[in-house]
Amino acid sequence: MKPKVFIARPVPPEVESYIAQHCRYSKWAHHDPISHEELVKELADAEGLLTAGGRVSADLLNHAPRLRAVSTMSVGYNNFDLDAMKARNIIGTNTPGVLDDTVADLIFALMLAAARRVTELDSYVKQGQWKKGEGDRLFGVDVHHKKLGIIGMGRIGEAVAKRARFGFGMEIMYYNRHRKPEAERKLEAEYRELKDLLRHSDFIVLMTPLTPETRHMIGQAEFALMKSTAVFVNASRGQTVDEEALTRALQERTIFAAGLDVFEREPVQPSNPLLSLPNVVTLPHIGSATKQTRDEMAMVAAENLVAALQGQTPPHVIPELRQDS
Ligand code: 8YV
């Protein structure tokens, strides 16, 4: 008999047909996220789960006695309780690769918008505030030929570096758990210790995965090291940054601006003080959000899930849950 899976978010028709060829399935067809109660009901007999960043906790697994594989339609997998999954021998997979250029494009949009005050000055024009002779009040900072510091030089970091180096003539520095000699060669990127990178960068892009070690890795001490002209961009996870410290740095103008696709709490609360600051560009976690890329992510997630349930090694088992880890 075909294995039973639950698809916890809408997927394109071709992805659903692919799953249907290999599995019995039920699905959540709404754009609002599924409630915990509904999910628990669906997981009572499911062997596979396809989710997009949904929390997979020890408690949820207790309600899913037959579950063997969870496939998240995201590259980040901080939604997985890895210990609980390991204890149950559950295969966990993600979707790296297909979203790299799409996320890198968005990071560039944030860098450019924050540096040249695009959203702030768009409102200024639309609200009829544009007057002659404002000159230096509208100045931003240059992007081209500046120093870019990338924290977390994975595939997306490299895609950002490529744009920066070869499109904008920027100098690339990076900080990563491991050095990347190939990236150093191809992208003329220089490895720097974190403090050194923070002190010398004009643009700082945070792309590190969220783990217990990276939670709040950028806080008051780190913002204090940045240049007063620095632009800070976060497209990783909101919890990698101490948001209160970021808010203070922006309010006190100890850094120039920030571009944020992610927040400590999402959806961001209207009372979040970051939202009232002119020198921050905010987006609702849309790094990978183009139709083409999301469709590709959904197919990769489906292929991972089917392979896992058929007893094959899926293309993208997350490193911490590999048999040999
Ligand atoms: C979202 C992302 O998870 O891939 C990631 O890790 O942050 C994003 O692509 C995606 O929006 C969930 O569908």
Side-chain angles (χ1 to χ4, degrees):
M1 192 160 43
K2 288 178 180 175
K4 165 84 199 303
V5 309
F6 180 60
I7 308 172
R9 62 160 295 139
V11 293
E14 60 278 15
V15 174
E16 197 170 321
S17 324
Y18 171 78
I19 292 176
Q21 281 166 36
H22 303 282
C23 308
R24 291 172 296 133
Y25 71 97
S26 53
K27 64 175 185 183
W28 179 251
H30 313 283
H31 281 280
D32 288 340
I34 187 167
S35 70
H36 181 73
E37 293 69 37
E38 288 287 336
L39 185 57
V40 158
K41 249 191 261 163
E42 294 288 350
L43 290 183
D45 63 345
E47 290 160 79
L49 168 65
L50 193 152
T51 178
R55 179 102 189 102
V56 178
S57 62
D59 172 59
L60 188 76
L61 295 182
N62 286 338
H63 291 94
R66 303 185 60 209
L67 199 65
R68 294 191 281 129
V70 183
S71 174
T72 186
M73 200 186 117
S74 57
V75 62
Y77 50 85
N78 51 291
N79 52 320
F80 287 173
D81 181 332
L82 296 173
D83 291 335
M85 288 174 72
K86 228 177 189 158
R88 278 273 309 274
N89 256 332
I90 290 178
I91 302 169
T93 62
N94 66 342
T95 61
V98 286
L99 74 180
D100 298 345
D101 281 317
T102 299
V103 178
D105 284 352
L106 189 89
I107 289 172
F108 243 89
L110 285 171
M111 286 167 58
L112 289 164
R116 300 300 303 272
R117 303 167 56 189
V118 170
T119 50
E120 177 195 354
L121 297 180
D122 172 70
S123 308
Y124 166 89
V125 174
K126 287 177 180 164
Q127 288 164 11
Q129 294 171 29
W130 187 13
K131 291 180 230 72
K132 280 216 161 119
E134 294 243 273
D136 57 1
R137 285 192 48 210
L138 309 184
F139 286 176
V141 293
D142 276 320
V143 179
H144 67 89
H145 299 100
K146 291 296 170 99
K147 293 188 170 69
L148 169 63
I150 299 176
I151 302 171
M153 192 68 142
R155 290 188 182 85
I156 298 172
E158 286 193 27
V160 173
K162 197 164 123 197
R163 284 157 176 72
R165 180 75 200 111
F166 303 117
F168 287 75
M170 298 178 89
E171 266 178 58
I172 314 295
M173 298 179 274
Y174 77 100
Y175 170 74
N176 199 52
R177 264 177 314 169
H178 315 288
R179 280 185 73 156
K180 308 285 278 293
E182 187 56 18
E184 290 181 24
R185 198 183 53 75
K186 275 191 324 219
L187 304 162
E188 299 161 33
E190 229 184 274
Y191 178 83
R192 295 287 183 97
E193 287 304 332
L194 182 59
K195 285 187 176 160
D196 198 34
L197 178 144
L198 296 171
R199 271 194 204 103
H200 293 103
S201 298
D202 298 302
F203 288 79
I204 293 155
V205 167
L206 184 60
M207 258 336 284
T208 186
L210 175 64
T211 64
E213 292 75 43
T214 63
R215 186 173 293 276
H216 280 198
M217 77 178 281
I218 305 296
Q220 195 184 348
E222 288 70 29
F223 286 116
L225 292 173
M226 295 179 194
K227 297 183 182 181
S228 60
T229 49
V231 172
F232 174 73
V233 170
N234 188 11
S236 62
R237 290 291 181 263
Q239 297 89 337
T240 52
V241 173
D242 176 346
E243 228 169 57
E244 272 181 40
L246 170 62
T247 307
R248 269 198 306 277
L250 289 164
Q251 278 166 339
E252 292 164 13
R253 306 238 169 204
T254 63
I255 64 172
F256 181 75
L260 305 174
D261 187 37
V262 291
F263 296 84
E264 284 207 68
R265 182 158 167 215
E266 295 177 6
V268 71
Q269 299 302 294
S271 58
N272 186 322
L274 277 171
L275 305 191
S276 54
L277 298 177
N279 51 346
V280 58
V281 179
T282 57
L283 289 174
H285 199 148
I286 53 156
S288 64
T290 64
K291 176 160 168 46
Q292 181 178 329
T293 293
R294 284 288 172 82
D295 286 1
E296 287 179 41
M297 288 166 74
M299 190 50 103
V300 171
E303 288 166 354
N304 279 329
L305 190 61
V306 167
L309 293 173
Q310 289 181 338
Q312 297 155 14
T313 304
H316 304 290
V317 180
I318 65 168
E320 292 86 341
L321 296 175
R322 284 190 191 134
Q323 293 294 333
D324 53 9
S325 75

